[in-house]
Amino acid sequence: MLDINPVWQSASALQLRRKTLRMPNHDRRQSSVDSDSVDDMVAKHQKRAKARETVTHLQQKFFHLSDEELRSGLASLNAEEVPELAPTIRRLQTAASERNSFVTMLDDKKFDRELVIALGKSVVLPQSDAGYVREKYIQNLTTKSSRKRARETSLKIQKAYPNLFALERDWLTTLQNSKSSGPMKSGGASLLNFRVLFFGTLIAYQIAKLFLMD
Amino acid sequence: MSDPAWHHLPHDPRSFFDLAEGFDRRDLKRAYGKLIRQFKPETHPQEFQRIRAAYEQLENAERYGRNQAESQSAAEAWKPNTNSQPQSESRPSDTSASDANQPSKRPKPPISPVDEAIANPRESYTRLSQRHSRSPLDYYILAVLSDLLVKPTNESEKHRPQFLQWLLDGLQEHPQEHGLISLVAGTLRGDVPDDQIQTLLPKIAKSIRSSMFYRLTEPLWERLLLDQPFETFERLIRECEGHLRQGDPRARLAFYLRILRTAIWTAPSEWTQSQLETLSGQAADLDDSMQNDLEFVELLHSYLSSTKPSASEFPARATMESFLRTYCTGDGPTATAEMARCLDEIARDAHGVQESFPINQEQDDHSLFLLMMMATSDLAETTGLIAPAPDEEKNNRQAVSCLRDLKNTLQEVVHRVSLIDTTYKWIPFAGLYLVFGILFTVIWFIAMTIVNQMTYSSASGAISVLIMIAGLLSFPILYFWWFYPKHLAERAENSRQKYFATCYTKRWRERLFRYVQSCGESPSDSLTRLNEAAAFHDDTEWMNLVLSFCHGDLGLLIFARAQLFVG
C-alpha cells in the first residue's frame, strides 16, 4: 500500500486497505470502478456481457427453446448484475411462466390466432421490434369483424391471463377500443352518413306517401 | 476510430480526453461518452475502468476548480526522494560508524522512508510521530502504520479513526496537498459508517477550516440528507460553517449546487428558494456547466413547488418524478436499475403518458419536460444506457404506414375546415347582405320617392340606379376588406385551431404515440423521418400542421425519449 502514489491512485490504496482490514465500503454512490478489484471488475463485466448475450438469445428463440433450456437460461440471469436489463429480465421471467398459456390460447378457437401470435412476439422481443409487430397486427384489422374479434380476445386475455395482459396492457387496451384499433379510416364515414340520411329520408317519404295515398 | 492516448493516464487525464485548456464539464462528458461507446464495459472492462477513473478525477476537479498543473507538481512530491530529510536525518551515528569500519567501500545507498517503514514499522511510526514537521509522505506512512500498530477499540473494530486523523493532520500542515486531499476524500466517501457522520463532520470542520471542507465532505452530507431528517442537516451545516474561514466562494457554490439536488426533495421550499437566490446572485462566478446545473435545480424547484396533480391520478407522471428523484439522489447499479425500470414503465405506457399530458391543458409542464430531457441526456452520456441503433428500413416503413393512416383523415379535416370557413365567412356574409340589402333598398326607395316628388328628371333616375348598384356593391367590399378581417377572421382561425387540436387529441395523437414506440429512436429523429416521408409523398403542408402539434406535445416527446432506453 505504501508503494502506491496517492495523488493518482488513492482509490486503489484505500481499496487495498479495506480489503486488508476487511472493512465495508460505505459509499452508496460508489461507481463499480472503486468498489472492486480489477479481477472482480473483469469478472463482473464478463458476466454482464454473457447476460446480454443470454437475453438476446432468449428474446430471439423464446418459443423454440425447451422448458429446460428456457429455465436454465433465465436462472443464469441475475438482474442485479445487469441493472439496465432488469426490466427486460423480469418481463422474460413473467412471459416464461406463462409460456404454456400461449399454447392453450392457440388451441382455443375463441381466441384470435393472429393476436395470440403477435402477443407472444410482443412480450419477448425488444421494444422497437415489438412495436413493429404490434403495429403490423393493428394494420391488418381492416374489417369490423376482425376488430371485434381482436376486442373479444383482448378481453378474454385480460380475464384469463392477467399477468400476460399486464405485460402488454397498453396495446391490448387499444385493441379493446374498436374505434382506435385498426388502420385509421378516411373521412368518407361522415359523407356516408349523409348519404344514408338523405336516401333514408327519401325512402321514408315514399313509403309515407304510399300509406297516405291509401 | 483512433486509439485514445493511453500514455497520458493517470497523470494527465485532460490530454487523454483530448480536451482544450478551457474545457468545461459538458466537453468532458461528451469526450467521456465518446470513449465509453468505443470501450464498452462488457467488452473492454479494464480500459473502461481507466477511462471512468480519469473521468471521475477530472469531473470532481473541474467542479471545484482544481488547477491541473498544481496536481502535476504535487505528484512529484510523492516520488521517493533518497536525498530527502528522513534519510539525512536517519541515524547519523550508524552512518559514521559504518564509514569508519569500511572506508574503502562505496557508501550504502540511503533507504527510502517507505522501505524503512516496511522494514521497521514500529520504529518508523514512533520516530515520525515525534517529529514536529512532516512531509505528506510521512503523514501517509503514519496513517498506514497506524492501522497496523494502533489497536482498535471494540466499538471501532471496523472503523479505525487514527488513519483519518493522521491524514487530516497532514492536510492541516499541507492544505493544498493533492495526495492527502485524495486520500481524505476517499476515506470520507467510503470508510465512515452512517452512525459516525454526525459526530465526525464538526470535527472535520474544526480541523479543515478552508473551503476544502466542502469538497471533502460532500458525500457525507449527501448520505446524511438521505438518512436523516432535513433539520439535522440544517443544524449541522450551520454548526460546521461556523467553524470555517471565509475562503474560495466557488467551492461553496459547487457544494450547494450538488447538495441541492439531494436536499430539494426533503427541504422546505423556503430554504431551497433562499439557497437558489444566493446561487443566482453569484451566477457570474459559475462556469457554463455549473450554470447548467443551476438551471436544472431551478427547474426542479419550480416543478416541485408547482401545484401538481396527484400521483394516483396520473401514475405516469409519478413514475417520471420517481425517475428524477433517483437521478438526483442515487448512483451506482441500484440507481441505474431503478432509472431503467422507470423509463421502461414510461416507454410502455402510452395511454398513461397521454392522460398525464393532456393537450390544451392549463398546467405548464415545461419544467417537467426539460428536466426529463436534461436527465435522460446526462444518463445516456454518462452511463451509455441506451438501446442499440434502430433498423432504418423498418423505421421508414413505420413512417410511411403512419403517414398513410394520418392521411386517411385528411379528407374529413379538409371538409371540416371548409365548414368552419362557411360558418365564419359566408353565412354571416349572406345574412348581413340580406339585412343590408333590405334596409338599403327601403331607404333607397323612400329617398327616391321623396326626390321624385320634389323634382324629376331623367338624370335623377339614372343616378338613383347608379346609387342602388354602388350601394349593393359597396357591401361586399366593406365586408371582405374591413368587417371580416376585423371581427371574424380571428374567430375563424381560433375555431380552426380548436378543431385541429381536437383532431390531434382524438385521432392523430394515439397513432403518433404508436409510431414513435415502434421506431425506438429520438423524438427529433422519428419526427424528421415522418416529415421526410411526407415530403416524398408531397404532403408537406398538412404534415407541418401535424408536426407543429407533435413538437408542442410534451408527453409525446418524453415518451419518444424513453423509447431510447428500453431494450
Side-chain angles (χ1 to χ4, degrees), chain A residues 17-18 26 28-29 84 132, chain B residues 147 190-191 222 227 398:
Chain A
R17 176 173 180 255
R18 278 177 215 124
H26 295 279
R28 284 175 227 170
R29 302 184 71 159
E84 70 275 22
Y132 184 69
Chain B
D147 280 341
D191 297 336
E222 285 182 320
D227 292 340
Q398 289 297 316

Side-chain angles (χ1 to χ4, degrees), chain B residues 28 30 53 116 150 168 254 261 284 287 366 400 442:
Chain B
L28 174 63
R30 217 168 289 132
E116 197 184 341
V150 180
L168 288 173
R261 286 164 66 116
D287 63 24
H366 272 85
V400 173
V442 170

Side-chain angles (χ1 to χ4, degrees), chain B residues 510-521:
Chain B
E510 185 164 346
R511 181 65 186 92
L512 285 159
F513 266 74
R514 273 171 22 214
Y515 163 67
V516 296
Q517 193 176 37
S518 62
C519 281
E521 56 189 356

Side-chain angles (χ1 to χ4, degrees), chain A residues 1-10 13-15 17-18 21-34 36-38 41-42 44-46 48-49 52 59 79-80 83-88 90-91 122 125-136 138-139 167-171 173-174 177 180-191, chain B residues 10-11 41-42 45-46 48-49 52-53 56-57 68 71-72 74-75 78 114 117-118 140-141 144 147 158 160 163 178-179 182-183 186-187 189-194 222-223 226-227 262 328-333 336-337 340-341 344 347-352 385 394 397-398 401 404-406 408-409 411-412 507-508 510-511 514 517-520 563 566-567:
Chain A
M1 185 172 166
L2 287 170
D3 291 335
I4 295 172
N5 184 342
V7 175
W8 305 121
Q9 291 160 295
S10 60
L14 294 171
Q15 193 181 311
R17 176 173 180 255
R18 278 177 215 124
L21 299 175
R22 290 182 193 155
M23 286 163 64
N25 188 343
H26 295 279
D27 181 11
R28 284 175 227 170
R29 302 184 71 159
Q30 62 185 320
S31 67
S32 53
V33 177
D34 291 333
D36 298 311
S37 68
V38 174
M41 279 283 300
V42 173
K44 194 178 262 184
H45 287 308
Q46 278 169 348
R48 286 162 70 97
R52 276 179 183 276
Q59 283 178 327
E80 284 176 16
E84 70 275 22
L85 290 179
T88 312
R90 271 197 299 275
R91 205 173 157 79
S122 168
L125 284 175
Q127 172 76 337
S128 65
D129 292 342
Y132 184 69
V133 170
R134 289 191 287 258
E135 197 49 48
K136 205 171 160 189
I138 288 178
Q139 291 301 319
L167 290 182
E168 285 301 332
R169 178 183 299 279
D170 207 61
W171 177 49
T173 312
T174 303
N177 182 356
S180 59
S181 68
M184 291 170 91
K185 292 178 286 293
S186 65
S190 59
L191 201 61
Chain B
H11 54 277
E42 300 83 17
Q46 281 170 317
F48 173 76
Q49 186 193 22
R52 177 80 196 175
E56 285 187 352
Q57 186 186 343
Q68 195 60 29
S71 54
Q72 187 72 42
W78 288 78
V114 170
I118 294 166
Y140 180 50
I141 292 169
V144 174
D147 280 341
K158 292 283 174 199
R160 292 158 182 267
F163 179 84
H178 287 264
S182 296
L183 283 168
T187 309
R189 181 179 283 274
D191 297 336
V192 180
D194 292 345
E222 285 182 320
R223 279 166 63 191
L226 291 174
D227 292 340
T262 312
C328 290
T329 58
D331 202 358
T336 310
R341 185 196 67 76
D344 185 87
R348 292 184 193 281
D349 189 12
H351 286 107
L385 181 77
K394 188 200 80 183
R397 281 204 297 274
Q398 289 297 316
S401 164
R404 197 173 51 231
D405 269 357
L406 296 177
N408 279 342
T409 62
Q411 195 184 343
E412 192 184 323
R507 307 205 66 178
W508 302 335
E510 185 164 346
R511 181 65 186 92
R514 273 171 22 214
Q517 193 176 37
S518 62
C519 281
Q563 304 305 320
V566 183

